[in-house]
Amino acid sequence: MPEGRKPILPGWRFRIKAVPTLCCLAAFVLFLSLGRWQLRRLGESEQMQAAFAAGLAAPVRDGCTAEAGLPGALDGQRVVVEGALRWERYFLIAGKYMWGNLGYRLLVPLVCAGTGEERLVDLGWLPVSMLDQVLREQQAIPAPRRLEGIARVPMKAKQPGNFQMEDGYQRRWAAAEPEAMGAILGMRLPAWVMIEGPGLKEQDPILDREPPVGGWLAEPVVIPHMHYAITWFSMAALVTVLGLTLCFERVAAGGQEW
């Protein structure tokens, strides 16, 4: 150390060490990037929540018009459809649990009265053991049926299920895929599914409802991106302090390292 220059800490010397410094620098860049990514996700989440709220605030739309069949035309909006359900070609979304019971979501194509437009309706969840009973009860309801719910464009399954053909077509699916399902049936189904039933809050009791249990969450799922961002930025600050601490080394009174 040059004469006349006082040490940062008496008895300690600061010296940059290559390996700890590079490791801490890499961790700092990683944590900083993750924090900035969470801030971007926060902005996207706020935009999605605003769009969802705007869709719910809009008047109920007629889901049977030709314009409603355009891609993304009604996503997130309340819709009503009226027509005849095609029970000879229903679909089951397999592997859905509710209240600890294994079940399906029941999807049925609908032919709109008056317009002839074709739509896919999600009637809700039912336990595996009640499939035959629910099908009999639903088919006994006279047509046409007027159904109200919300239109959503579903996400495709990451890994499509390997299900066997039943009654000449693939009945069980890992996720709703309206256009692919329509192609199997020779129908022109739009990219959205109408989830039948009322808007529900997460704490609403629905245990006493008869299957199929329909409905949809009227509140978007909020992910705490800001908390995650603060966590990652805090980790970046912590690793910075750690890197600086590792660059200090103790020296003896005579200037030699301990």
Side-chain angles (χ1 to χ4, degrees), residues 192-208:
W192 54 268
V193 177
M194 195 201 84
I195 303 175
E196 192 270 338
L200 303 169
K201 295 183 179 180
E202 195 168 359
Q203 66 272 18
D204 284 347
I206 56 175
L207 292 172
D208 57 344

Side-chain angles (χ1 to χ4, degrees), residues 44-176:
E44 295 171 359
S45 178
E46 290 176 344
Q47 291 179 1
M48 291 176 61
Q49 292 176 34
F52 187 79
L56 294 185
V60 178
R61 299 278 299 278
D62 183 356
C64 281
T65 63
E67 293 76 15
L70 299 176
L74 296 179
D75 187 30
Q77 298 189 45
R78 293 176 298 146
V79 295
V80 60
V81 295
E82 185 173 0
L85 293 169
R86 294 273 305 275
W87 285 107
E88 73 278 8
R89 287 294 185 266
Y90 65 88
F91 296 99
L92 299 171
I93 307 302
K96 299 299 180 182
Y97 282 86
M98 287 186 71
W99 312 301
N101 295 318
L102 178 63
Y104 307 110
R105 292 200 69 86
L106 177 61
L107 277 64
V108 188
L110 176 140
V111 179
C112 295
T115 65
E117 294 285 330
E118 298 160 331
R119 303 291 181 255
L120 189 62
V121 179
D122 182 342
L123 292 177
W125 178 90
L126 67 149
V128 172
S129 60
M130 294 185 66
L131 175 59
D132 293 336
Q133 175 186 339
V134 170
L135 289 175
R136 287 194 303 269
E137 293 173 351
Q138 289 292 314
Q139 291 177 32
I141 301 175
R145 290 181 61 175
R146 181 181 174 84
L147 303 171
E148 187 172 338
I150 189 172
R152 295 314 307 258
V153 175
M155 297 180 62
K156 292 185 178 181
K158 296 181 179 179
Q159 296 182 345
N162 185 19
F163 301 111
Q164 297 179 350
M165 301 285 286
E166 299 179 40
D167 295 334
Y169 72 105
Q170 184 181 338
R171 177 177 293 167
R172 288 172 171 79
W173 293 63

